[in-house]
Amino acid sequence: MDTGTGRYVTLAQVASAAKVSLATASRVLSGGERVVRPELRDRVLDAATRLQYVPNAHAQALAAGASNTVGLVMHDVGDPYFSSITRGAMQVAGEQGTLVVLGSTFRSPEREIEYVSTLRAQRARAILLVGSGFDDADYLRDMGRELENYQGSGGRYAFVSHHDLPGDAVLPDNSGGAAAIARALVELGHRRIAVASGPRNLSTVAHRVGGFLDALAEAGIPRSDVQVIEREFSEDGGYAAANDLVKAGIPATALFCVSDIMAIGALLALREHDVAIPDHLSLIGFDDIPIVRHLTPALSTVALDLERMGREAMSLVLHPEAPATPRRIHLPARLVLRASTAAPR
Amino acid sequence: MDTGTGRYVTLAQVASAAKVSLATASRVLSGGERVVRPELRDRVLDAATRLQYVPNAHAQALAAGASNTVGLVMHDVGDPYFSSITRGAMQVAGEQGTLVVLGSTFRSPEREIEYVSTLRAQRARAILLVGSGFDDADYLRDMGRELENYQGSGGRYAFVSHHDLPGDAVLPDNSGGAAAIARALVELGHRRIAVASGPRNLSTVAHRVGGFLDALAEAGIPRSDVQVIEREFSEDGGYAAANDLVKAGIPATALFCVSDIMAIGALLALREHDVAIPDHLSLIGFDDIPIVRHLTPALSTVALDLERMGREAMSLVLHPEAPATPRRIHLPARLVLRASTAAPR
DNA sequence: CTGTTAGCGCATTCAA
DNA sequence: TTGAATGCGCTAACAG
């Protein structure tokens, strides 16, 4: 009943155990068609289960010239933003029996490119690039070349968020959402407004800050009146930005953090300095990651349907029923005002 | 300069472009040894970059009989508990150039087994089973068989958390941590204590509840005096459990939720009913996922070093320098008392 | 419907 | 050191 330690059972063994040809065994075990007589079919199935046969996916991929895995490359799985998107992507991947290879770059452009290259080596059926790209000439050139090659050899890819690179994409309305925040703050009566920004070379950050400042300008608040503090795109970055604001005497009545994660860091700093929210300072984030509704005060933010983004993106690359023109799926951003924003005192 | 649309460049093409034999090309591009004359070596390297050659990982795996991917199977990537562990695992995987195939079972035992089988087909070098196993005879039998086969053919695997199955494992001190909570609550003066539990057939839940009740019993509080409410192991489950408690008139001064996620749900329900925490009811969770420190009140809990668990587990399977005896790495659990717990009124 | 045969792309003997 | 030949396990023509 043992398969022999150290070795895998091969199709050939199953075939001989079932007393049929290799091809027949292959047909019943892989080719879904019922082109095999029930009797032989059963013999093969029997032998396969008896021997605990598991096909060698590498051999299959090599012979068939196609694998069933897709790559999912992102900045950081530990970040709720990405893990939520991943969750959505895993849902549809699971339904399709598609295997997902995870790439967590820890925000290194080089590693992102490496992952794409590795995925290319794996003959991944598709690649999903999640998270904003880097606005860097070298990166754009290398990544562009890599993707072009990948596509040239039959691979599909899609971005989640802007990448300044051609290709299918799922695009949340970053600038629109930020603009909505700007208008809401102005409507509440805020005039002195600060922004806790991440690195501007991240396109997501650029779009959010841009949309925000533009809408503010339209509302009569010139860019020069808006204090933009640029820090890391992380909780620590938000913490640092808020600290700066406090040190400057909080010359604002509202603080827009370009991500919820940054807002959480800011909240911590503000709390340490006993800055009352929203009484002293209104605070608002972006993304609506699952936890921010549980904060005190509950964080106002712009909601993105993160899981849906993951699902849409995975569907996009799994169903290439598309023409040659890049497909771009625009997803709405919805303003969610909770307790952390109010009219200025 | 183009590779020819629709096809991948093969080693053979590189070899012929470099005017060397296939074997030589293979040696310089894969075999790390310097057994090739520098001149030829350079020619091959040149040709490879020029043609944008990327080795076919499937062919390599097939020929070499070994792949460099490891599987990471868990209940739900969207859950901070798992995504934190995943983050840790991805760190060491990244350092080793190991590819990670993600399996998110969405809490289905069948899918967990399926993933292991698929990973076996992929000839994954190792498999990490993260999250507690199911205490179910069928599951244990099938999973046990699957793993045995996998190991029999050279695969390594390890558990993160208990699985009631033989094998290497990284084991957080669930019962010890829960016991620490019990003692702390008693010391604070609590006598009427409730537990918001997940399904008892999850070993993690069983160990936490068990450790908690045992320690309570030792402190003179019999199990019969402790109200254990069993709900889903999720935010909703915590919400429901707390609601039950409220409906019962809150016949307790402290509520232990077996996970932070459940505690978050409980917190929501309690807030909706204006139950003051910790004044009316002390609340404590388990895991110390990143966000709970930011809640109001900051949640008391037992801290597990989640990322470390991921790192240790990945190291475990990647470095099989081990003897045949199962290696079990026990990780401490540290009680963290924050604002959500206090002496009963 | 079933069996035979020829690769898929590469690593690795074995000779040279 | 290098090259020619063999086979990894499987799918996909091609015959029968």
Side-chain angles (χ1 to χ4, degrees), chain A residues 86-141:
Chain A
T86 302
R87 185 179 204 274
M90 291 303 295
Q91 262 170 243
V92 350
E95 291 165 5
Q96 315 274 319
T98 297
L99 226 46
V100 172
V101 173
L102 189 65
S104 196
T105 66
F106 294 95
R107 305 199 175 280
S108 151
E110 293 78 28
R111 291 178 67 147
E112 188 170 320
I113 293 174
E114 265 173 42
Y115 267 121
V116 172
S117 176
T118 305
L119 256 6
R120 201 146 80 85
Q122 297 286 331
R123 299 304 187 260
R125 175 167 155 193
I127 299 178
L128 248 37
L129 281 315
V130 184
S132 69
F134 302 85
D135 181 17
D136 173 274
D138 286 353
Y139 165 81
L140 288 173
R141 176 174 38 70

Side-chain angles (χ1 to χ4, degrees), chain A residues 304-318:
Chain A
L304 257 32
D305 191 337
L306 267 11
E307 292 193 16
R308 180 173 166 207
M309 286 166 60
R311 282 193 310 258
E312 298 271 8
M314 186 59 82
S315 306
L316 206 53
V317 295
L318 249 29

